[in-house]
């Protein structure tokens, strides 16, 4: 048990003047002072040893532990409230709660909202203070530095953003425009908070913000001005999707799509593969159901792939990545899935089934649609050989059609919906 906790002190750019009496006392008593060089520079030279942690965050817990075990008092400086997208969680996780005393300052995010005179209790807080992943591009995957922000824009009307010099306000504006939110939000920037050259840029159109350069450091606030997306989560009509012409109808029909999505057993955070995406109807509805997850789709037909991209644009599906190619190419680069839909196999059905079953996460589901007896037989044989648990539903749907002043039922082709999972009992 460490005898004295490390003081984790939140500080803003106004330096010592903004600290509480207790925080100033703990700072003055410290033998070792740890922080980013920029933060250490806010403190005048004193008797303490100063240790810059820039690029060495992983070593900080050991520095603290070594100093405390030697009977030395330690203080760590962090920006604002270290419990809000700060270092506190990391240090507590490594050293334990008893080893850390947190003395927060006002969060820079809270201060930004105060400058803008906007209430912030309903705000979604996002940090893009991460490695530089470059500009946002359509189809970006969850490892992109702006992914969480773009997804937050799909769900939240008010967002507070911790930025970085690379993931700047202008880059954020460009990302939201690329994701289809160009007319949905106004962007505000609070820069150099607490400094003599503090500046506030309020309620800028995204197009205007995208071409500016803002002073560092800064905070971004995004506020929705357009009505949110009120479309259904799933259950779209077939005509809502762009389809291949002149061969319209090459789409997983609404009835089969609804049952297939039910069989996938999606969670809000599911990772989904859509193999043989076609127009993208199944994968794009899956992306809406798995709104905190992601869909990776592959389609070999160039025309269908173009339609899927257009449908993704219309639905603003920023958690959807489409690859033009033939499976199993590129699948080895995708993360293990929680759910897989196979709508087309390009003659590789048996091999794809074995590959998918090997990669499925525990409890994951594989769902396939077939209209031919031969593919159904291939699938059930491959599933049985792999020891999977499977079932088949034959779906026969008929839709009403007008005939004179009456209606008749027009039958669609039967579809076999095969669902399977690995037996992990």
């Amino acid at each position: 048990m460490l005898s004295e906790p490390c003081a984790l002190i939140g500080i803003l750019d106004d330096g010592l003047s903004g600290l509480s009496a207790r925080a100033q006392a703990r700072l003055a008593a410290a033998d070792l002072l740890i922080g980013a060089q920029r933060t250490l520079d806010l403190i005048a030279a004193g008797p303490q040893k100063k240790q810059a942690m820039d690029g060495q965050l992983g070593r900080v817990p050991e520095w603290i532990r070594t100093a405390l075990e030697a009977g030395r008092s330690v203080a760590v400086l962090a920006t604002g409230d270290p419990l809000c997208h700060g270092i506190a969680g990391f240090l507590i996780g490594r050293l334990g709660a008893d080893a850390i005393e947190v003395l927060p300052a006002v969060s820079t995010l809270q201060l930004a909202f105060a400058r803008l005179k906007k209430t912030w209790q309903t705000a979604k807080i996002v940090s893009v203070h991460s490695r530089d992943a470059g500009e946002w591009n359509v189809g970006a995957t969850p490892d992109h530095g702006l992914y969480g922000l773009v997804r937050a824009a799909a769900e939240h009307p008010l967002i507070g953003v911790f930025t970085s010099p690379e993931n700047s306000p202008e880059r954020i504006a460009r990302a939201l425009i690329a994701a289809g939110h160009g007319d949905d939000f106004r962007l505000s920037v609070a820069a150099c908070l607490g400094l003599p050259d503090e500046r506030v840029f309020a309620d800028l159109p995204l197009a205007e913000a995208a071409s500016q350069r803002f002073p560092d450091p800064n905070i971004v606030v995004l506020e929705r001005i357009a009505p949110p997306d009120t479309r259904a989560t799933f259950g779209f009509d077939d005509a809502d999707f762009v389809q291949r012409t002149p061969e319209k109808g090459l789409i997983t029909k609404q009835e089969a799509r609804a049952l297939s999505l039910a069989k996938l057993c999606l969670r809000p955070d599911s990772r989904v593969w859509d193999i043989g995406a076609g127009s993208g109807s199944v994968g794009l509805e899956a992306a809406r159901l798995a709104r905190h997850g992601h869909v990776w789709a592959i389609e070999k037909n160039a025309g269908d792939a173009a339609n899927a991209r257009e449908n993704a644009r219309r639905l603003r599906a920023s958690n959807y990545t489409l690859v033009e190619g033939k499976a199993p190419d590129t699948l080895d680069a995708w993360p293990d899935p929680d759910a897989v839909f196979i709508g087309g196999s390009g003659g590789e059905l048996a091999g794809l089934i074995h590959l998918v079953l090997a990669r499925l996460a525990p409890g994951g589901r594989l769902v396939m649609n077939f209209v031919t007896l031969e593919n159904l037989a291939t699938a059930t044989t491959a599933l049985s050989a792999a020891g999977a648990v499977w079932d088949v539903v034959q779906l026969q749907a008929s839709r009403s059609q007008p005939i004179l002043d009456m209606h008749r039922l027009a039958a669609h082709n039967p579809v076999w919906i095969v669902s399977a999972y690995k037996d992990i009992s």
Side-chain angles (χ1 to χ4, degrees), residues 60 187 199 220 224 230 238 268 273 281 327 340 348 370 409 425:
V60 173
L187 182 147
R199 295 185 67 188
V220 162
R224 177 176 282 276
T230 57
D238 295 344
W273 291 3
S281 61
V340 177
E348 305 287 342
F370 303 113
L409 288 177
S425 59

Side-chain angles (χ1 to χ4, degrees), residues 104-176:
V106 172
S107 169
T108 51
L109 192 66
Q110 183 181 4
L111 197 56
F113 274 97
R115 295 293 190 268
L116 293 164
K117 299 178 176 61
K118 298 179 186 289
T119 58
W120 71 300
Q121 66 267 19
T122 61
K124 170 68 175 177
I125 300 174
V126 177
S127 175
V128 296
H129 197 79
S130 59
R131 66 179 181 82
D132 182 6
E135 293 284 325
W136 175 264
N137 53 82
V138 174
T141 56
D143 59 354
H144 194 283
L146 296 177
Y147 185 86
L149 170 64
V150 174
R151 291 304 303 149
E155 294 192 65
H156 299 278
L158 183 63
I159 307 170
V161 189
F162 291 102
T163 64
S164 69
E166 295 80 18
N167 292 326
S168 59
E170 55 269 29
R171 177 180 282 182
I172 289 169
R174 291 192 293 268
L176 293 178

Side-chain angles (χ1 to χ4, degrees), residues 41-369:
D41 290 342
L42 298 172
I43 306 300
Q48 304 103 327
K49 176 185 176 182
K50 291 184 178 182
Q51 178 69 58
M53 65 181 185
D54 304 71
Q56 302 186 84
L57 179 60
R59 300 183 62 189
V60 173
E62 186 57 35
W63 292 346
I64 295 171
R65 183 182 291 109
T66 299
L68 294 182
E69 288 176 349
R72 300 169 66 202
S73 176
V74 183
V76 175
L77 291 178
T79 301
D81 184 351
L83 287 163
C84 184
H85 287 281
I87 195 176
F90 169 71
L91 293 181
I92 291 170
R94 292 293 186 91
L95 298 171
D98 291 341
I100 303 293
E101 178 186 5
V102 182
L103 299 169
V106 172
S107 169
T108 51
L109 192 66
Q110 183 181 4
L111 197 56
F113 274 97
R115 295 293 190 268
L116 293 164
K117 299 178 176 61
K118 298 179 186 289
T119 58
W120 71 300
Q121 66 267 19
T122 61
K124 170 68 175 177
I125 300 174
V126 177
S127 175
V128 296
H129 197 79
S130 59
R131 66 179 181 82
D132 182 6
E135 293 284 325
W136 175 264
N137 53 82
V138 174
T141 56
D143 59 354
H144 194 283
L146 296 177
Y147 185 86
L149 170 64
V150 174
R151 291 304 303 149
E155 294 192 65
H156 299 278
L158 183 63
I159 307 170
V161 189
F162 291 102
T163 64
S164 69
E166 295 80 18
N167 292 326
S168 59
E170 55 269 29
R171 177 180 282 182
I172 289 169
R174 291 192 293 268
L176 293 178
I177 292 170
H181 296 292
D183 297 323
D184 294 346
F185 287 90
R186 288 289 184 264
L187 182 147
S188 299
V189 180
C192 305
L193 288 165
L195 294 175
D197 56 348
E198 176 179 298
R199 295 185 67 188
V200 174
F201 307 81
D203 301 322
L204 303 176
L206 292 181
E208 181 180 336
S211 61
Q212 292 194 37
R213 184 71 180 97
F214 298 92
D216 288 319
N218 54 60
I219 294 288
V220 162
V221 172
L222 294 163
E223 193 165 16
R224 177 176 282 276
I225 58 167
D229 185 354
T230 57
R231 289 172 293 188
T233 302
F234 91 117
F236 288 87
D237 191 273
D238 295 344
D240 292 332
F241 295 97
V242 179
Q243 303 166 46
R244 194 195 311 179
T245 57
E247 306 169 83
K248 273 204 171 184
L250 295 178
I251 185 175
T252 302
K253 302 278 192 301
Q254 185 186 50
E255 296 83 0
R257 191 163 67 243
L259 182 54
S260 297
L261 288 165
K263 291 286 189 179
L264 285 170
C265 299
L266 298 175
R267 305 186 311 269
D269 63 347
S270 288
R271 297 181 303 271
V272 184
W273 291 3
D274 182 11
I275 299 174
S279 63
S281 61
V282 173
L284 288 168
E285 292 208 52
R288 293 177 74 84
L289 291 166
R291 62 191 185 280
H292 300 147
H294 196 86
V295 175
W296 287 262
I298 187 168
E299 171 53 49
K300 66 176 181 148
N301 181 278
D304 284 336
N307 288 337
R309 283 191 289 268
E310 173 60 16
N311 288 323
R313 185 194 67 79
R314 293 183 177 195
L315 291 172
R316 298 178 182 175
S318 53
N319 60 335
Y320 179 84
T321 301
L322 177 69
V323 174
E324 190 173 323
K326 181 179 177 181
D329 294 347
T330 78
L331 300 187
D332 58 347
W334 294 358
D336 290 347
D338 301 300
V340 177
F341 178 75
I342 297 179
S345 60
E348 305 287 342
L349 182 57
L352 283 173
I353 289 172
H354 285 285
L355 184 153
V356 167
L357 290 175
R359 296 283 304 277
L360 266 180
R365 295 298 182 105
L366 166 62
V367 175
M368 298 170 280
N369 283 187

